[in-house]
C-alpha cells in the first residue's frame, strides 16, 4: 500500500489550480477535515495498543480514540474479546478520604438484590434416574455469570473492565480520528482524488464568486469520488462471498 | 522615511557640486532620475509580476517582485521576527509578501498566514504546529515567524516582495528601497557623474569636431 502525506496532496492541488502558497493553509484545513471524515468511515485507521490497567481495572482512553473495535484480554498469542455492558457502575468508589478504591472493598448498602443472589433452588430438583444417569432438565439456567465485560465511561475518559476479571493489560483496537501526525503523513493513495475533490468543493463553497449550481456540482464530484474510494477499499471479493455462504452451511440429518 | 527620486538626486547633486548645486551645473536633477530608476531595477533584481488571483481579482499592472537578501532574524518572545525592508504593495491574502525563505533552502518557503490565523490554528490538534512547517504572519512592519528561527541556525532570510515599477513612481513618491541601497546608489552616481564637466568659455564646437576628425 503506497501512502502520501497530506501536505503533498494539498501542494498538488495548488499546482493544478495555479495558486500560490498563500492558499496553502486554507486548503490544508479543508484536507484535514476531509481526512477526518474519511478516517471515520472509509480508511479504517484502526490503532492497536497494549494498555496496562490500573488497580481499579480502568485505563485511560487514548487521545485520538473515536470508537472501539474490540477490547481484548490477552490469552497467549490469542485475544479474547470482552463484551460491552451497561451494568458496571460508572461512578468511582471512594473511601472516607475520597481516594478511589475497588468496589470489592466497598461495603454494600443493600444485600437484598445483587447479582447471583437470586439463586435458583436446585436442591429440590431431581436430575438423575435410577441408574445414576443425568437426565438433564436444568431448565432456566441461562448463560450463567459473565465476567468478561467492560464499560466505556466517557465522562471520566476511561474504559473500565469488570473487577472480577484479573488482568494486567488489555489490547485495545480502536478507530482513530486521524488527527495525528502519523495519519497525516501516511494517507492511503486511494484517497488522493477524494481529498482533491473535497478541497475543490470547499474552495467554491466558501467563495462568493461561485454560484450555487457550481458548488453543488463540485459537491457531487466529491460524493462520487468517495463512492469510488469505498469501492477501492472494499474487501469483498468473489472468494470472500463464497466463503461467507459456505460457513453458514451445515450438514444436518434429513427427516424421514 | 524612505527616500524619493528627488531626494536621492539632490544628495548626488550636493556631492557633485560640493555644496548647493548651481543652476548651471553640468549635471541636473532630471538627468539623474532615469539613472536612479535603472540603478534600482538592477540592484533590486526586479521581475515583472503579473497574476490573476484565484478569486478573479487582478493585480494592477506595473508591479514587480523585488528580492531582498540578508534580512536579519531576531528572537521575539518565544518566536522570531524580521523587519520588512520596504513596505510592499497591499494585495489580497498578503500576496505583497510573495515569498520568505531561508537562503540555505530556497525551495522550502515559509508558509504565509494571514493576520491572526495562527491563533485559530492553535486549537487544532493536527495543524497547531503546521505539521512541522514554519509559518509567518505579517505584523505592521515585521513578519513574525511561528518558531524561533535563531534556535535552528537561521540568522537571515530572503524575501520577495511585490513593489511597483520604479518608473511609475513620481519624483516625490517614496521608493521601495532599503537604506543601504540608497547609500550605494548615491555613491555610485557621484562616482559616475563626477567626470562630467561643464562647458568651458570657448564656444567653438566645430573646431573641436574638426580636431577630433583629424585625429
Amino acid at each position: 500500500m503506497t501512502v502520501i502525506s497530506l501536505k503533498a496532496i494539498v501542494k498538488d492541488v495548488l499546482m493544478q489550480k495555479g495558486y500560490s502558497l498563500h492558499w496553502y493553509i486554507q486548503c490544508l484545513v479543508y484536507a484535514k477535515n476531509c481526512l477526518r471524515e474519511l478516517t471515520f468511515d472509509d480508511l479504517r485507521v484502526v490503532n492497536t495498543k497494549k494498555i496496562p490497567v490500573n488497580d481499579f481495572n480502568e485505563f485511560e482512553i487514548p487521545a485520538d480514540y473515536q470508537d472501539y473495535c474490540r477490547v481484548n484480554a490477552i490469552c497467549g498469542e490469542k485475544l479474547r474479546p470482552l463484551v460491552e455492558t451497561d451494568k458496571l457502575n460508572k461512578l468511582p468508589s471512594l473511601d472516607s478520604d475520597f481516594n478511589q478504591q475497588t468496589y470489592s472493598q466497598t461495603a454494600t448498602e443493600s444485600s437484598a438484590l445483587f447479582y447471583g443472589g437470586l439463586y435458583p433452588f436446585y436442591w429440590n430438583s431431581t436430575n438423575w434416574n435410577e441408574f445414576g444417569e443425568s437426565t438433564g432438565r436444568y431448565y432456566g439456567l441461562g448463560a450463567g455469570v459473565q465476567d468478561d465485560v467492560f464499560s466505556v465511561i466517557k465522562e471520566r475518559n476511561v474504559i473500565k473492565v469488570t473487577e472480577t476479571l484479573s488482568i494486567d493489560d488489555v489490547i485495545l483496537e480502536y478507530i482513530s480520528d486521524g488527527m495525528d501526525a502519523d495519519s497525516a503523513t501516511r494517507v492511503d493513495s486511494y484517497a488522493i482524488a477524494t481529498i482533491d475533490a473535497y478541497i475543490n468543493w470547499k474552495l467554491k463553497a466558501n467563495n462568493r464568486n461561485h454560484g450555487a449550481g457550481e458548488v453543488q456540482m463540485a459537491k457531487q464530484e466529491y460524493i462520487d469520488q468517495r463512492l469510488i474510494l469505498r469501492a477501492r477499499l472494499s474487501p469483498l471479493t468473489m472468494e470472500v462471498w463464497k466463503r461467507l455462504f459456505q460457513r453458514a452451511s451445515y450438514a444436518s440429518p434429513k427427516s424421514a | 522615511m524612505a527616500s524619493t527620486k528627488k531626494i536621492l538626486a539632490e544628495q548626488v547633486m550636493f556631492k557633485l557640486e560640493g555644496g548647493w548645486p548651481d543652476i548651471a551645473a553640468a549635471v541636473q536633477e532630471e538627468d539623474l532620475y532615469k539613472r536612479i530608476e535603472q540603478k534600482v531595477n538592477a540592484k533590486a533584481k526586479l521581475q515583472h509580476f503579473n497574476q490573476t488571483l484565484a478569486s478573479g481579482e487582478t493585480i494592477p499592472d506595473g508591479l514587480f517582485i523585488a528580492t531582498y537578501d540578508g534580512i536579519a532574524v531576531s528572537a521575539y518572545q518565544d518566536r522570531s521576527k524580521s523587519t520588512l525592508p520596504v513596505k510592499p504593495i497591499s494585495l489580497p491574502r498578503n500576496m505583497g509578501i510573495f515569498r520568505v525563505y531561508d537562503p540555505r533552502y530556497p525551495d522550502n518557503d515559509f508558509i504565509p498566514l494571514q493576520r491572526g490565523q495562527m491563533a485559530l490554528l492553535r486549537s487544532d490538534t493536527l495543524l497547531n504546529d503546521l505539521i512541522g512547517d514554519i509559518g509567518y504572519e505579517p505584523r505592521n512592519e515585521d513578519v513574525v515567524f511561528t518558531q524561533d528561527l535563531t534556535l535552528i541556525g537561521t540568522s537571515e532570510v530572503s524575501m520577495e516582495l511585490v513593489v511597483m515599477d520604479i518608473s511609475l513612481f513620481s519624483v516625490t513618491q517614496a521608493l521601495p528601497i532599503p537604506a543601504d541601497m540608497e547609500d550605494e546608489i548615491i555613491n555610485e552616481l557621484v562616482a559616475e557623474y563626477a567626470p562630467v564637466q561643464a562647458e568651458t568659455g570657448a564656444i567653438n564646437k566645430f573646431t573641436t569636431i574638426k580636431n577630433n576628425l583629424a585625429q
Side-chain angles (χ1 to χ4, degrees):
Chain A
M1 182 185 80
T2 57
V3 294
I4 188 172
S5 74
L6 207 61
K7 291 195 284 188
I9 296 175
V10 172
K11 288 182 178 177
D12 181 71
V13 171
L14 296 180
M15 283 289 293
Q16 288 180 50
K17 300 181 86 67
Y19 289 5
S20 67
L21 211 58
H22 299 81
W23 295 84
Y24 174 81
I25 200 67
Q26 183 178 354
C27 292
L28 187 64
V29 170
Y30 295 150
K32 180 262 300 183
N33 291 336
C34 182
L35 177 63
R36 184 186 59 226
E37 293 300 316
L38 296 182
T39 305
F40 288 158
D41 301 319
D42 300 317
L43 294 181
R44 300 181 192 141
V45 178
V46 178
N47 289 350
T48 303
K49 284 188 181 172
K50 181 179 179 181
I51 306 175
V53 297
N54 61 16
D55 296 336
F56 319 110
N57 266 22
E58 295 176 349
F59 61 92
E60 197 169 319
I61 295 175
D64 60 336
Y65 171 97
Q66 180 62 30
D67 201 356
Y68 73 89
C69 292
R70 291 193 307 183
V71 179
N72 305 291
I74 302 172
C75 300
E77 67 167 358
K78 296 186 180 176
L79 299 175
R80 168 69 183 271
L82 305 178
V83 182
E84 187 177 13
T85 179
D86 58 355
K87 293 184 173 55
L88 292 180
N89 195 337
K90 293 183 185 295
L91 297 175
S93 172
L94 304 175
D95 61 16
S96 56
D97 293 326
F98 297 98
N99 296 316
Q100 189 174 359
Q101 60 181 4
T102 61
Y103 274 92
S104 59
Q105 296 169 302
T106 307
T108 53
E109 294 176 2
S110 168
S111 60
L113 188 65
F114 56 92
Y115 285 98
L118 299 180
Y119 190 72
F121 291 92
Y122 291 108
W123 60 271
N124 58 353
S125 301
T126 304
N127 299 98
W128 63 88
N129 58 16
E130 60 272 24
F131 302 109
E133 297 164 330
S134 174
T135 58
R137 304 195 199 109
Y138 287 101
Y139 302 119
L141 262 183
V145 178
Q146 292 161 323
D147 284 335
D148 57 347
V149 294
F150 71 94
S151 185
V152 179
I153 306 175
K154 289 183 181 177
E155 306 91 90
R156 291 195 287 125
N157 201 41
V158 297
I159 292 178
K160 182 180 178 64
V161 180
T162 176
E163 289 175 6
T164 55
L165 193 63
S166 177
I167 51 173
D168 297 322
D169 304 291
V170 296
I171 302 294
L172 176 65
E173 297 172 35
Y174 64 97
I175 297 174
S176 168
D177 65 356
M179 296 292 102
D180 57 277
D182 286 341
S183 298
T185 54
R186 294 178 56 83
V187 179
D188 195 323
S189 296
Y190 278 153
I192 293 174
T194 311
I195 296 175
D196 202 314
Y198 185 92
I199 294 173
N200 284 325
W201 167 36
K202 286 299 181 181
L203 280 173
K204 290 184 177 178
N206 293 319
N207 190 315
R208 294 175 200 171
N209 291 333
H210 299 282
E214 210 174 330
V215 173
Q216 188 58 36
M217 283 175 59
K219 181 178 179 181
Q220 188 57 47
E221 172 64 20
Y222 160 68
I223 292 172
D224 293 344
Q225 286 298 331
R226 188 129 180 213
L227 292 174
I228 294 174
L229 174 64
R230 286 192 178 171
R232 286 171 173 168
L233 294 175
S234 173
L236 292 176
T237 63
M238 185 52 68
E239 287 68 32
V240 171
W241 276 111
K242 285 183 185 174
R243 188 60 59 88
L244 285 170
F245 285 117
Q246 289 162 359
R247 269 192 206 152
S249 302
Y250 296 94
S252 59
K254 184 177 176 184
S255 58
Chain B
M1 189 188 82
S3 293
T4 65
K5 291 182 197 176
K6 185 163 179 59
I7 291 175
L8 291 176
E10 281 179 357
Q11 288 179 289
V12 173
M13 293 289 294
F14 271 115
K15 288 194 173 184
L16 287 175
E17 297 299 315
W20 189 262
D22 196 286
I23 195 168
V27 179
Q28 297 292 318
E29 279 184 18
E30 290 75 15
D31 302 326
L32 295 171
Y33 292 153
K34 192 62 186 176
R35 193 71 187 115
I36 289 173
E37 291 174 13
Q38 293 165 345
K39 284 281 185 187
V40 171
N41 285 340
K43 287 183 178 298
K45 297 184 273 293
L46 295 180
Q47 300 167 293
H48 191 265
F49 180 63
N50 188 14
Q51 185 163 340
T52 300
L53 295 183
S55 53
E57 305 131 344
T58 55
I59 293 179
D61 292 334
L63 294 184
F64 283 79
I65 297 179
T67 304
Y68 301 91
D69 296 318
I71 311 297
V73 177
S74 58
Y76 174 65
Q77 296 176 354
D78 60 342
R79 305 180 199 176
S80 54
K81 67 174 183 178
S82 291
T83 302
L84 290 168
V86 298
K87 192 165 179 57
I89 299 291
S90 177
L91 294 172
R93 293 179 175 266
N94 298 317
M95 284 183 74
I97 306 173
F98 198 64
R99 291 182 68 202
V100 180
Y101 53 92
D102 186 336
R104 297 175 300 171
Y105 312 106
D107 294 333
N108 262 356
D109 289 20
F110 298 138
I111 306 298
L113 302 170
Q114 296 188 50
R115 190 96 179 251
Q117 252 181 353
M118 200 60 216
L120 298 174
L121 291 173
R122 285 288 180 218
S123 61
D124 191 292
T125 51
L126 181 62
L127 301 182
N128 55 13
D129 72 337
L130 302 179
I131 321 182
D133 285 328
I134 299 171
Y136 66 89
E137 261 186 22
R139 195 171 297 183
N140 299 326
E141 286 126 9
D142 298 324
V143 290
V144 179
F145 300 100
T146 55
Q147 295 180 26
D148 190 346
L149 298 184
T150 58
L151 297 179
I152 57 174
T154 300
S155 57
E156 291 179 345
V157 295
S158 295
M159 293 187 185
E160 293 185 10
L161 307 176
V162 180
V163 298
M164 201 186 296
D165 180 8
I166 300 300
S167 62
L168 297 178
F169 284 83
S170 71
V171 295
T172 52
Q173 221 170 338
L175 296 176
I177 53 177
D180 57 342
M181 191 183 293
E182 293 176 11
D183 195 50
E184 283 177 20
I185 292 174
I186 291 170
N187 292 333
E188 287 177 14
L189 288 176
V190 169
E192 192 172 321
Y193 282 90
V196 178
Q197 299 296 326
E199 285 290 336
T200 63
I203 305 172
N204 196 350
K205 292 187 179 63
F206 297 101
T207 305
T208 306
I209 292 174
K210 182 181 176 182
N211 289 340
N212 288 341
L213 285 175
Q215 293 170 7

